Amino acid sequence: MGSAEGRRRPTMVDVAARAGVSRALVSLVFRDAPGASAESREKVLRAAEELGYRPDNAARLLARGRSRTLGVLMTVREPFEADLVEVIYPEAERRGYDVLLSASTPGRDEAKAVEALLAHRCEGVILLGPVVDDAFLDELGARAVAVVVGRGAGGAAVDSVRSADAEGMRQAVDHLVGLGHRRIVHVDGGPGGPNARVRREGYVAAMRAHGLDRDVRILPGAYHEDAGIAAGRMLLAEDSLPTAVIAANDRCAIGLLDTLRRAGVDVPAEVSVVGYNDDHLAHLSHVDLTTVRQDAAGLAQNAVRAAVERLEEEVPPREVVLPPALVVRGTTGPPRR
């Protein structure tokens, strides 16, 4: 059997004993504080290397009342949020922060996921596309630095980083009208979908701006494939199809595309389809989805910046709105004759 020292993680006491100095002096060395001579510092570092000792940065930060950890709430199976997380990690690391993820699932609501982050001493929390109400956000803002991504904060004391979704919907409608479409349907994001109301209102305003008031039609939906499938089946059961559909997001659009194509409908020759987000699924060659791109990198970077500046500079909460951009691919074309 190995020694007791070999079976457990070495501590500062072990380093002090090996170097022949006090524990207080070892602490000075690892805090890079004045008070240790060059010779003592060398002895301590050599002893630590021999023992395989690594300072517990998390414990040290907590002792100072800091964890330098940002908690991130995300939704399982949401590709666009995964794109955001990929940028949040390096951006947080660049600013000297760790990241802890907590996911909401059908059996684990967002409130529980957020509480888990706070229980792990996250200094700030970033909520990706939350569906919690404004009262929850207001209460959360009183407890911790919080940033909401993908929707407005409704006046709550939290930061908000989002896209100009009404403008994105205008771009989608303008593109379709420019191709010659008039019968343009919108499958919305449902009553609880982040920014679904803004996108819905943006669609209506854009249609009216083109004099298409009578052609406005909104189908109930949500931000997932099942909603697109349901909308597709509803449209297929009618006497005639619209010439174009703008879906709530890319996942909804993919469900719609699959349903139409399985029924033998040619996209875009018979029906054009537009999504929203431009997540990585939209890029796939067999999807090739025309969509409104949200700046995932910009949203993620601004969210981390907002959290860090609130923590370190004590600035008031603010809203950042980024411009979207239409990406034209293979699912849109002129309307059928």
Side-chain angles (χ1 to χ4, degrees):
M1 293 180 65
S3 66
E5 184 178 270
R7 290 197 303 270
R8 62 176 174 80
R9 181 178 178 179
T11 66
M12 278 193 186
V13 173
D14 299 321
V15 174
R18 174 67 69 93
V21 299
S22 68
R23 183 192 178 284
L25 192 143
V26 173
S27 177
L28 288 177
V29 170
F30 283 106
R31 285 188 288 117
D32 200 23
S37 68
E39 182 183 358
S40 296
R41 187 177 299 274
E42 175 62 26
K43 289 170 62 177
V44 167
L45 294 176
R46 184 168 58 249
E49 181 66 26
E50 292 170 356
L51 291 171
Y53 171 78
R54 297 291 182 272
D56 190 340
N57 291 328
R60 187 174 75 250
L61 288 167
L62 287 174
R64 297 179 186 174
R66 296 291 309 274
S67 69
R68 294 193 73 85
T69 300
L70 300 178
V72 177
L73 167 71
M74 65 178 296
T75 306
V76 171
R77 299 181 184 176
E78 180 50 65
F80 185 67
E81 293 183 11
D83 293 344
L84 294 171
V85 170
E86 284 185 356
V87 181
I88 285 173
Y89 267 105
E91 182 66 16
E93 183 177 339
R94 187 177 70 82
R95 294 175 178 271
Y97 283 77
D98 290 327
V99 173
L100 181 66
L101 298 180
S102 185
S104 62
T105 69
R108 186 176 193 247
D109 64 22
E110 292 179 342
K112 188 171 184 179
V114 169
E115 287 300 325
L117 293 173
L118 297 177
H120 282 84
R121 297 291 300 275
C122 292
E123 290 191 75
V125 289
I126 298 174
L127 284 61
L128 305 183
V131 299
V132 291
D133 59 28
D134 294 342
F136 178 90
L137 291 178
D138 210 30
E139 179 186 350
L140 176 62
R143 299 171 61 193
V145 167
V147 183
V148 175
V149 180
R151 55 167 278 193
V158 302
D159 289 82
S160 170
V161 181
R162 63 179 180 85
S163 296
D165 284 329
E167 166 63 16
M169 292 300 288
R170 184 194 65 75
Q171 292 179 21
V173 171
D174 286 355
H175 167 64
L176 292 170
V177 171
L179 290 171
H181 293 273
R182 294 181 60 86
R183 296 179 59 201
I184 304 168
V185 171
H186 174 47
V187 182
D188 81 359
N195 268 14
R197 179 184 59 80
V198 176
R199 294 180 190 179
R200 182 167 57 247
E201 292 174 353
Y203 157 77
V204 173
M207 291 287 284
R208 288 176 175 167
H210 286 285
L212 300 177
D213 304 56
R214 293 185 178 182
D215 294 291
V216 169
R217 186 182 180 195
I218 300 169
L219 299 183
Y223 289 150
H224 52 66
E225 293 85 354
D226 288 347
I229 292 170
R233 289 173 176 169
M234 183 182 300
L235 293 172
L236 289 167
E238 298 175 354
D239 292 337
S240 64
L241 290 166
T243 64
V245 182
I246 302 174
N249 70 349
D250 290 348
R251 290 180 62 190
C252 179
I254 288 170
L256 175 66
L257 282 172
D258 183 66
T259 302
L260 293 176
R261 286 170 172 166
R262 286 176 182 271
V265 176
D266 189 327
V267 177
E270 295 180 75
V271 179
S272 287
V273 176
V274 179
Y276 205 106
N277 280 350
D278 195 31
D279 60 44
H280 64 272
L281 294 176
H283 304 191
L284 299 177
S285 60
H286 69 283
V287 178
D288 199 28
L289 180 66
T290 293
T291 185
V292 178
R293 173 181 293 161
Q294 296 198 76
D295 181 1
L299 291 170
Q301 289 164 355
N302 275 279
V304 173
R305 185 185 70 179
V308 171
E309 288 182 356
R310 287 279 307 285
L311 287 167
E312 298 184 356
E313 301 176 24
E314 299 184 359
V315 297
R318 60 193 183 279
E319 182 177 59
V320 177
V321 182
L322 301 181
L326 183 74
V327 180
V328 178
R329 297 196 180 97
T331 58
T332 53
R336 62 185 182 273
R337 294 182 179 180

